[in-house]
Amino acid sequence: MSEIPIYDPEVLVSLIGDDQPLIEEYKKEFVKQCVPTLRGIAAAFNKNENTEVKDQAHYLKTSAKAIGAMRCAARLQKIEDCALSDDRVSLKQHITLLQNDIRDVKKEFIK
Amino acid sequence: MSYEKQTIPVRYDQKDETICLLFSYHGNLLSDVPTDTSHPIYQALNLQLENSVDANLLSDLIGYENFEKLRQASWNFGKPCSIPPCFIEHYGNWDISCYPTKLNDTASILVNFTPSSITTGTQLKNSFQIAADATGIGVWDIRFIDDPRSLTESECFTNLLDNHFIFFSQVAKQILGIEINKPITWRTIWDRIHPDDQVTFEQFFTANIFYDIRLNFDCRIADMQNQYKWYTIRGQTLTDQSGLLLRMSGSLIECTEQKEMIHSVVEAENTKKLALEASGIGVWTGNLDSGYWQWDNNVKRIMNIESASVGKLQDWTQYIHPDDFIELKKGLNQAIAELGQLSVEVRVKDKTRQYKYVHIKGNVTTDVISKVNRIDGICHDTTAHRIAEKRMSELNEALEKTVKKRTMELIQARDLAESGSMAKSNFLAMMSHEIRTPMNGVIGALDLVENTPLNAEQNDLIETAKTSALNLVDILNDILDLNKIEAGKMELEFIPVSISATVDNVINMFTAISESKNVELRLEEDNALPDWVNTDPVRLRQILINFISNAVKFSSTNNEKKGIVSVTAKVDQQHSLGQQKSIVFTVSDNGIGMDKKTVERLFTPFTQAEASTTRKYGGTGLGLAICARLCEMLGGQIEVQSEVGEGSTFTIRLPLWETSHDSDLSAIFGVNVAIIGALEENKVQWLKTRLEQLNADVSIVSNITNDTLSDYEMIILLATGQNESEIDKELSDLPVTEAQKIVLVCPRQFKQSLWAKHPSIQILANNPLTRYSLEKINMKDTQVITENTPHHTEKIVNKAVDKTPIAENLTNSPSTILLVEDNPLNQKLLLKQLSVIGYSADVASDGEIGLQLFSENQYKIVFTDCHMPKMDGYTLSKNIRAFEKEHNTAPVPIIAITGAAMTGDKEKCIESGMSDFLSKPIETHKLKEMVEKWHERNSDL
């Protein structure tokens, strides 16, 4: 998945135009959304509630796509797929990696 | 090869024209030569005289070779001699003879020239020679001046060798490898004849000359390269009418190839003959047309034939046993009919009228027109083989009997040993069960008494009694283990095991006892330790418990030093390979230590340092022996370093395979964590790394303000160097909101009191702080969570059972637990223990009643003893599962309660459909854990 860019700034520009203050606001909103969703996914995983995992992942995936967090979006898609196929081992691996992906996006936002 | 046509230009036909001329010894003409004559010899001489008077005219006239032959013969023999007809170019063939004489005391010779009468013969000879040359046959001819038979055989042979009146054809010289123009005698050839063939050569020549025996022999003659080749020399003497020996003529043929071929054939034949003779195999042939059979001497000997080697079939089969003869004829007819092979074994009567065994084999062949006409075969005496076979068979039979007898003896011995071993195992199992069952009562009762209001002295007595009872169970377990190991029946199970959880569990077992002994228990865990490894959790735990228990036991604090026990768990990266990790546990103490001699016999069963050790510290000396064997079974090793008075270090190296496990994500996954407060520098980093491994976002915060802490969901406060009141104050002053979770790391002794004051926080003891305790930090409501953590177990073990009933479990509700137990004491005890933890149970005294109750009520758990009258626990379990299947209901957890702890008991329980296993004696906290583990699984009920 390393071939997928972490963050593509053009995505948001193409959606709302080059309005930097608004872009920054969206970025902050995304980061804010990430933490509880990630923990929600982890908690649902621990409870073995795959539908909840899939729903949470889907929720964050739409935001990630809109913001241009491409790798996060791809990871969340994987999480959705694993939750659907009940592949618990891969699901755990992807949730762990999602945390890294979110960290990477945060770093990109600071640049 | 080309020949010039020989012509005679001058035909000299006058009969008496023999002329006699005198020549010097050197060939100078001494006679006068008439000039007015037409005699060809005179003409020839006159022609030469015109050129030189002093020349060797005789040599010029008849050729040097002939001149030399003439002169040598004449002077050597000292009497008249003649040479074979000599061809003088342009003047025809002449018979030349000479007489040695003297003129004025000068040696001279009289030479007669007579026109040769064999002119035609010469032409004929040439034709033969052409034919001979064309076929590669060399010819030779030797002319005798005197009859050689007048000499002795030896002289004759020497004369023959040196006779210069000899002719060898060009082909003869060529095949001998001699230059064509070089004059040779038989001597030239003799010198080159192989020494072994020289006698033959001499004998054949002399025999031919003296006895007219045909000259025909082969000999080896070396060529110019000194390589021997084979030649066939043939010849015959020629005599005149009066029987006077005139000449000897013959041929010379090279026959190396034929000779070698014959040699090979002869050698092969000889080899075959020798082999057949050596093997005693007889060869026979039967002509089916003529009905005649041939056989060799071996056949004669084998078939007991008296004389002839040719005869009828009956001749060589006369001594065959009549029954076998019928078989032989049958086989023979079949082989002829099918153009196949004959192979029969017959009995042949020998000279002592004893029968011997003969194997006859044959092969039928056809002639050129495909008509079956002969059979060739062999026969050999197989009596010895038959006898050997018979003896071998007898020997085998005897051996088989012996082996059978020995096997029977061994089986009996084995059965005896096995029955002994089985009796021992059964005895141990029975004793195990019989001791555990009453011990269950003892420990359970003590457990219950411990939870009643007691004064300090009573508490102390109860504690002692309980410890003694538990020790007794431990000793029993050790004896059972050792017995299993030594009987080779110890079976390890390999399942995913968390090293951190195991270490945490073991360390927590010893915190109370080390505290009571004022021994500091230190722990260092490598963050590189894999989360899960494949090993036997029970045995890993047993090994660690044993070493730590010993370390604590043999350490103490006195005025001079503080007792310290250090445990480390690390990965030896150097000796790890891929998934296989070399995990190293070290347990060090600064206790009494051991001398070298003690260390050497440390792992021998029932061995302690010295008798006084047993008296002072107790124990059976089985623990280390068991650990050493368990380590060995796990593929590991143990090293010991010890010094008397200084302490000991045990290093346990285990090769453990890292494995993945379907475990939950950490409860602090993705949580922002701030670490504040003081701890040793490397410990803080270790803590941070571990929390990060648990997927928390961790920061170390030094400047503590509202602002700096507001972003964190969890605050970990390190308060290891402060006293209780300081910690209390710091907790109260912490600038945090209610939403923020606080985890306090402090000395164990402050835990309870601080907990009472700050019930919402989680408290982890730092002495020692385990990796596993960090895994158990979570974001939920602290009070509830801590009750379910293993740390709480520690509290139960050492203090009292938490009597708080789980909210759902109302005492007036129908019982959700079925207890099937035949022993009234155990029934009473278990009911009491269950009531202590807030549960009631229906009781059945055997499996039949248990099954009846199960079918009539709804239970969340069934506890059942295994060995009961009427229906045992295994059958009950099977019947319950069958009932559930029949009524399509969810399976209810069935927990076995058994006094037996032998290998396979757990498996037997699981196989019969049980869910878990509790070994007697059952302590209340273990019962509680089991109920908590399984009770809520059937929450729907």
Side-chain angles (χ1 to χ4, degrees), chain B residues 521-583:
Chain B
L521 187 57
R522 294 178 182 172
L523 174 68
E524 194 182 327
E525 286 177 283
D526 190 351
N527 271 329
L529 283 171
D531 286 337
W532 294 93
V533 290
N534 243 339
T535 190
D536 188 318
V538 175
R539 302 306 164 190
L540 176 62
R541 193 167 171 272
Q542 187 175 355
I543 292 167
L544 293 176
I545 287 173
N546 207 287
F547 284 105
I548 299 171
S549 162
N550 279 346
V552 173
K553 188 196 287 183
F554 295 113
S555 303
S556 58
T557 298
N558 51 37
N559 293 336
E560 291 166 14
K561 66 177 177 186
K562 182 171 176 61
I564 296 170
V565 171
S566 300
V567 180
T568 67
K570 291 185 175 175
V571 180
D572 180 356
Q573 299 291 3
Q574 207 179 342
H575 293 97
S576 299
L577 188 68
Q579 297 289 97
Q580 197 200 51
K581 306 290 180 191
S582 175
I583 308 293

Side-chain angles (χ1 to χ4, degrees), chain B residues 22 46 59 135 147 168 207 319 334 382 456 459 597 613 658 670 841:
Chain B
L22 185 66
N46 279 328
S59 173
T135 52
D147 190 343
F168 282 95
Y319 291 106
Q334 193 179 347
T382 55
N459 249 331
K597 216 172 172 183
T613 312
E658 185 173 5

Side-chain angles (χ1 to χ4, degrees), chain B residues 200-482:
Chain B
T200 312
F201 185 90
E202 183 178 348
Q203 282 177 347
F204 266 96
F205 268 92
T206 51
N208 186 250
I209 292 167
F210 284 93
Y211 311 110
D212 201 25
I213 294 170
R214 187 171 165 72
L215 178 72
N216 186 355
F217 69 97
D218 296 335
C219 65
R220 285 159 289 181
I221 302 171
D223 63 11
M224 297 314 281
Q225 284 77 42
N226 284 324
Q227 296 289 319
Y228 281 108
K229 288 181 179 171
W230 280 95
Y231 295 89
T232 300
I233 297 172
R234 292 197 185 104
Q236 187 58 48
T237 50
L238 187 69
T239 55
D240 64 6
Q241 290 164 342
S242 60
L244 189 68
L245 189 63
L246 292 177
R247 58 204 297 172
M248 195 176 184
S249 306
S251 63
L252 182 78
I253 304 165
E254 198 212 319
C255 59
T256 310
E257 276 183 23
Q258 293 94 312
K259 205 72 186 173
E260 282 175 355
M261 204 181 295
I262 289 166
H263 261 290
S264 303
V265 171
V266 169
E267 204 168 314
E269 188 61 28
N270 282 342
T271 308
K272 185 179 126 194
K273 202 174 168 187
L274 285 170
L276 288 171
E277 273 175 12
S279 62
I281 294 172
V283 179
W284 53 266
T285 301
N287 189 313
L288 301 172
D289 289 336
S290 65
Y292 271 98
W293 295 67
Q294 289 181 352
W295 49 83
D296 67 4
N297 286 334
N298 279 337
V299 175
K300 273 168 81 174
R301 182 178 49 75
I302 294 166
M303 303 303 287
N304 202 14
I305 302 166
E306 276 157 14
S307 54
S309 58
V310 179
K312 294 284 182 187
L313 175 64
Q314 287 77 10
D315 294 334
W316 71 280
T317 57
Q318 58 187 312
Y319 291 106
I320 293 178
H321 190 285
D323 293 348
D324 297 347
F325 183 67
I326 293 168
E327 286 299 311
L328 173 65
K329 279 198 85 173
K330 204 171 142 189
L332 195 60
N333 289 336
Q334 193 179 347
I336 293 166
E338 294 173 3
L339 200 62
Q341 291 183 335
L342 165 73
S343 179
V344 287
E345 191 170 54
V346 296
R347 284 163 289 174
V348 178
K349 202 181 277 178
D350 67 9
K351 283 172 185 165
T352 62
R353 314 209 51 83
Q354 296 283 318
Y355 275 110
K356 60 182 176 184
Y357 289 91
V358 176
H359 194 182
I360 300 171
K361 293 182 90 172
N363 197 26
V364 176
T365 51
T366 57
D367 60 10
V368 286
I369 55 165
S370 301
K371 185 187 169 193
V372 173
N373 73 335
R374 61 184 289 162
I375 177 166
D376 299 273
I378 57 154
C379 63
H380 61 102
D381 189 339
T382 55
T383 312
H385 176 72
R386 274 293 193 126
I387 292 168
E389 209 172 52
K390 196 180 166 196
R391 283 189 186 159
M392 189 69 83
S393 164
E394 285 168 0
L395 196 65
N396 273 346
E397 226 165 86
L399 272 173
E400 266 176 31
K401 275 182 187 168
T402 313
V403 168
K404 271 184 189 167
K405 195 181 161 196
R406 291 272 188 280
T407 310
M408 279 304 292
E409 286 169 1
L410 284 171
I411 288 170
Q412 282 168 357
R414 187 200 62 193
D415 289 349
L416 197 66
E418 275 183 357
S419 65
S421 171
M422 200 173 280
K424 184 182 161 194
S425 294
N426 288 341
F427 172 76
L428 284 165
M430 189 187 72
M431 288 307 290
S432 160
H433 186 265
E434 293 304 316
I435 294 171
R436 277 166 188 274
T437 304
M439 285 310 292
N440 188 34
V442 173
I443 293 167
L446 289 170
D447 215 21
L448 293 171
V449 173
E450 199 182 20
N451 291 300
T452 60
L454 299 167
N455 63 32
E457 192 184 355
Q458 285 169 329
N459 249 331
D460 196 37
L461 289 169
I462 293 295
E463 183 69 33
T464 307
K466 196 177 167 188
T467 309
S468 303
L470 288 171
N471 281 345
L472 186 59
V473 174
D474 286 345
I475 291 167
L476 187 69
N477 287 340
D478 280 353
I479 292 172
L480 284 173
D481 277 351
L482 194 68

Side-chain angles (χ1 to χ4, degrees), chain A residues 35 38-39 41-43 45-48 88-89 91-92 95-100 103 106, chain B residues 532 660-672 692 694-698 713 779:
Chain A
V35 177
L38 180 61
R39 283 179 47 203
I41 288 172
F45 171 84
N46 286 348
K47 284 187 212 159
N48 209 9
R88 199 165 159 76
V89 175
L91 184 58
K92 185 178 175 184
I95 295 171
T96 310
L97 291 169
L98 176 64
Q99 190 184 26
N100 295 338
R103 279 191 195 127
K106 284 183 191 171
Chain B
W532 294 93
S660 56
H661 187 253
D662 180 18
S663 58
D664 287 350
L665 286 161
S666 153
I668 53 170
F669 189 97
V671 174
N672 279 333
E692 282 171 349
L694 296 168
N695 301 93
D697 283 328
V698 188
E713 296 155 281
M779 298 297 289

